[in-house]
């Protein structure tokens, strides 16, 4: 690859990295990287594995293998969990959301480490694989766009790292107020079988909107455990 402006404006091939970490750019990374500052974008994080944990001892389970405190963790709240071994060495990380009193979903490879500790311990909890889609809709135009699609004014004042159930394209999804680089927006999450309907509805609405260009797949991220790159 030539390190020139023209080269950087070229859409990369659909190679193994794209298969693992998402689609290649729709236009180019320079154009798409400013979308989360000027308009909005869709960032597809559906490649992350999900694990569903249920039971009264789930907070105790995570507390024993994480640097996080779970003393305050109400229904609807999410935490960026950083997991360690018994010596404090970082093992993995991910996002844990409390969907109900004894119902949680964990996004990230750390679900395997949590499941291992669950099997080695004596906890009143269960774990099972989930298959969800995760699409970030972020940028200055994202909130008006999502309000138009959901008619749900809770999106205006949902606290950071909290999730609310809402409806898009007739499907119930979770909207997590979370961004990867300080931008305004939400992660839309739900069963993978409705992913295409939700994605297409958001993309079509953005294309028709005067405040948002057609969303891209580029995501600039500086979150712990992630590489700062368009993906």
């Amino acid at each position: 690859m030539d390190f020139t402006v023209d080269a950087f404006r070229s859409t990369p091939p659909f190679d193994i990295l794209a298969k693992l970490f998402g689609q290649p750019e729709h236009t180019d990374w320079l154009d798409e990287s400013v979308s989360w500052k000027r308009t909005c974008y869709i960032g597809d994080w559906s490649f992350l594995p999900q694990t569903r944990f249920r039971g009264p001892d789930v907070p105790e389970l995570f507390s024993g293998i994480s640097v996080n405190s779970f003393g305050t963790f109400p229904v609807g709240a999410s935490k960026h969990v950083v997991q360690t071994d018994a010596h404090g060495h970082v093992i993995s990380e991910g996002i844990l959301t409390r969907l109900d009193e004894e119902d949680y979903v964990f996004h990230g490879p750390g679900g395997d480490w949590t499941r291992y500790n669950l099997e080695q311990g004596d906890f009143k909890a269960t774990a099972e694989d989930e298959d969800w889609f995760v699409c970030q809709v972020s940028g200055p135009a994202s909130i008006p766009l999502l309000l138009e699609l959901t008619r749900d004014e809770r999106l205006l004042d949902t606290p950071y790292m909290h999730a609310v159930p809402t409806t898009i394209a007739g499907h119930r999804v979770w909207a997590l107020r979370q961004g990867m680089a300080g931008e305004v927006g939400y992660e839309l999450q739900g069963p993978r079988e409705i992913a295409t309907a939700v994605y297409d509805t958001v993309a079509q609405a953005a294309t028709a909107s005067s405040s948002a260009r057609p969303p891209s797949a580029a995501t600039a991220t500086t979150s712990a455990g992630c590489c700062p790159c368009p993906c």
Side-chain angles (χ1 to χ4, degrees):
M1 176 179 178
D2 296 328
F3 292 96
T4 64
V5 172
D6 288 340
F8 279 120
R9 287 192 177 277
S10 301
T11 301
F14 193 80
D15 56 13
I16 184 61
L17 290 178
K19 292 179 182 179
L20 289 173
F21 299 110
Q23 305 173 39
E25 295 97 344
H26 291 274
T27 55
D28 63 74
W29 76 272
L30 291 173
D31 176 49
E32 295 180 8
S33 292
V34 299
S35 62
W36 51 273
K37 288 294 187 182
R38 298 177 181 174
T39 53
C40 71
Y41 72 91
I42 294 180
D44 189 357
W45 290 80
S46 302
F47 59 85
L48 290 173
Q50 296 92 27
T51 311
R52 195 74 166 262
F53 293 93
R54 293 184 174 94
D57 289 351
V58 173
E60 180 184 352
L61 168 64
F62 274 89
S63 180
I65 58 173
S66 310
V67 303
N68 307 72
S69 170
F70 292 88
T72 302
F73 194 31
V75 172
S78 297
K79 288 182 181 289
H80 186 179
V81 177
V82 178
Q83 299 173 313
T84 69
D85 63 12
H87 303 288
H89 299 142
V90 174
I91 294 291
S92 191
E93 54 82 37
I95 301 295
L96 179 68
T97 299
R98 190 170 195 170
L99 305 177
D100 208 337
E101 286 297 331
E102 296 185 4
D103 189 7
Y104 306 76
V105 65
F106 186 84
H107 299 267
D112 290 337
W113 176 240
T114 310
R115 183 176 295 190
Y116 169 79
N117 283 272
L118 170 61
E119 294 171 351
Q120 299 301 309
D122 183 20
F123 300 96
K124 295 178 180 177
T126 61
E128 60 183 304
D129 293 335
E130 275 287 6
D131 190 18
W132 281 22
F133 74 92
V134 178
C135 286
Q136 284 191 353
V137 183
S138 297
S142 63
I143 301 303
L145 181 66
L146 291 174
L147 284 175
E148 176 185 341
L149 292 174
T150 65
R151 305 298 179 185
D152 190 344
E153 294 192 357
R154 291 177 301 172
L155 299 181
L156 291 172
D157 55 12
T158 300
Y160 183 71
M161 291 302 287
H162 283 70
V164 293
T166 191
T167 301
I168 293 181
H171 298 287
R172 184 177 185 270
V173 299
W174 287 91
L176 170 62
R177 173 66 186 91
Q178 193 254 358
M180 301 301 290
E183 75 278 23
V184 176
Y186 280 86
E187 280 190 359
L188 304 179
Q189 306 172 353
R192 194 175 294 272
E193 56 264 27
I194 67 172
T196 299
V198 172
Y199 185 99
D200 288 349
T201 297
V202 175
Q204 291 167 12
T207 302
S209 172
S210 61
S211 59
R213 292 178 297 178
S216 72
T219 303
T221 170
T222 54
S223 175
C226 301
C227 298
C229 63
C231 59

